[in-house]
Amino acid sequence: MVSAYHVIFGAKNLSALTLDKKRYPVEVVGYDDRADLALLHVNLPASLPSLPLATVRPTVGELTLTIGNGNGEFLQAKTGRVTTLETTSGRPDFPASVMQLDTQILPGDGGGPIITARGEVVGVVSFLAVSGGQSRRVTAYAVPLMQNDARLAELRRGVKRDAPSSGVDLKLLPPLATEAYALPAEKFVEFSQRSKLDLGTTPGAFFTQVAPGSPAARAGLQPLQFDRKGKRTAGDIVTAVNGQRVVNFSDFLSAVYRYQPGEVITLTVLRAGRPLEVKLTLVARAQAGN
C-alpha cells in the first residue's frame, strides 16, 4: 500500500482499519520524506479487493475520485478533476512536481488515493492550498504515481530517505507568516518596520523556534525573542549556508536540503549586528523535533 509519508511521520505503532472495523498491523517498507511517499505492507486477507497503480498518465480535465478521512469522517469519497499534471508548491519543504486537482479535500484526507474512472490509482494526496477568502476554494495537490515509478522501486528495496533538518522553524501569526516565509530582499526592511520585529537592515532568514536538543540548539542558535515592551532582545539572522547567500526562510530551507543528514554545514549569522560563523551537523527531520 502506498501513502503519504507525512501521514505516518513520527508514528510508533501503525495499523490499518477497514470499513468493517477490523484492524491489521502495518509495516513500513520504505519511505522518502522529501517526496512525501511511504510504502507500507499490510497483512490483509487475499479476499479483500485492491486497486492497481496506473499504467498511463491521467489527462488534464480527467475526472477522479479521492478517498480520505477528512475532518475525521472515515473513508469519504470526493470527486474532482485534474487541472495540472506537473506543478510545484513553491515551498522547498513540500514535494516537487505534484499533480493539481480541484477536488475539495479537507485536512485528514492526506495519503488518500486519487482514482481514475479506469479504477487505477494515479497518485496520493499530499497537501492542500486554500484561497478566495469568504468564497473558500481548495486546491488539492497529489504525488503522481505510475506502475513503473522509479521511486517506488527504491521503496520496495527498503530505501528510507530522510529530509535533513537543523531544528529551526518560523512560526508567526497570519498574515505575517505567509509573507515572511519567502520575503523578497527588497521588502525586508519595510517588513521589519511594519511588523515591529526589529530585524535590522540586512536581509536573511530569521526564525522563531529552536527545537530542544536539535543541531541548532547544540550550536547555540538564537530564535527571535522580545521583552515585555516588545523590544527585540535576541534573534539570529542567517545570511548564508556554506557560503550560499540566503535572504529568507525559504532560501534557507532550500540551501539546507542540498545536504544529507550527518553532513556538517556552516551558517553565516548576524547576531546583534555582528557577523559570525556557526557550524552544525544536520540530522534527520524525525530527530530534530520538527
Side-chain angles (χ1 to χ4, degrees):
M1 182 175 79
V2 182
S3 185
Y5 178 64
H6 78 265
V7 174
I8 66 164
F9 176 75
K12 302 300 181 183
N13 296 295
L14 295 167
S15 62
L17 180 66
T18 53
L19 196 57
D20 59 2
K21 305 304 181 184
K22 292 182 179 179
R23 286 192 178 274
Y24 300 89
V26 171
E27 174 192 357
V28 179
V29 179
Y31 62 80
D32 187 333
D33 190 351
R34 292 288 309 282
D36 198 21
L37 277 178
L39 182 63
L40 312 175
H41 179 260
V42 188
N43 232 350
L44 294 172
S47 58
L48 286 181
S50 62
L51 294 172
L53 290 175
T55 55
V56 295
R57 296 180 70 190
T59 57
V60 171
E62 186 168 351
L63 183 67
T64 61
L65 182 74
T66 299
I67 300 175
N69 304 322
N71 278 358
E73 296 185 15
F74 188 54
L75 295 183
Q76 295 298 302
K78 302 176 180 70
T79 58
R81 292 187 183 275
V82 177
T83 56
T84 308
L85 289 176
E86 292 183 11
T87 187
T88 177
S89 68
R91 290 182 56 120
D93 51 341
F94 282 21
S97 190
V98 287
M99 181 169 55
Q100 181 177 307
L101 307 99
D102 62 9
T103 313
Q104 299 299 286
I105 62 171
L106 298 166
D109 284 328
I114 307 295
I115 306 165
T116 67
R118 296 182 298 276
E120 296 180 332
V121 175
V122 291
V124 294
V125 176
S126 180
F127 59 96
L128 61 84
V130 180
S131 61
Q134 291 184 345
S135 59
R136 183 180 184 274
R137 191 67 185 170
V138 171
T139 301
Y141 295 89
V143 180
L145 286 174
M146 299 281 289
Q147 282 191 15
N148 61 352
D149 196 303
R151 296 169 302 180
L152 283 180
E154 285 188 319
L155 301 188
R156 290 188 183 101
R157 295 196 299 269
V159 169
K160 295 179 178 179
R161 185 174 293 119
D162 292 288
S165 178
S166 63
V168 305
D169 204 356
L170 176 61
K171 293 188 181 297
L172 294 171
L173 294 175
L176 294 181
T178 302
E179 185 179 4
Y181 183 85
L183 186 67
E186 63 272 16
K187 294 185 177 181
F188 186 86
V189 173
E190 186 271 334
F191 175 85
S192 173
Q193 295 170 344
R194 175 165 44 85
S195 64
K196 299 181 180 179
L197 293 179
D198 189 23
L199 301 170
T201 59
T202 302
F206 54 93
F207 45 93
T208 58
Q209 296 180 359
V210 172
S214 67
R218 291 193 294 271
L221 287 181
Q222 300 177 5
L224 290 179
Q225 297 178 39
F226 302 87
D227 62 20
R228 293 182 179 179
K229 296 182 179 180
K231 182 179 179 181
R232 178 181 158 203
T233 57
D236 292 336
I237 308 292
V238 180
T239 60
V241 176
N242 280 355
Q244 177 187 336
R245 183 76 170 95
V246 298
V247 300
N248 53 48
F249 197 74
S250 178
D251 278 359
F252 171 75
L253 284 184
S254 293
V256 167
Y257 281 168
R258 289 185 171 89
Y259 302 94
Q260 300 298 323
E263 290 192 273
V264 178
I265 61 173
T266 301
L267 306 183
T268 303
V269 172
L270 283 177
R271 180 174 296 168
R274 296 183 177 181
L276 69 152
E277 291 193 342
V278 176
K279 290 185 181 295
L280 56 83
T281 304
L282 297 172
V283 297
R285 187 168 68 95
Q287 300 173 332
N290 62 5

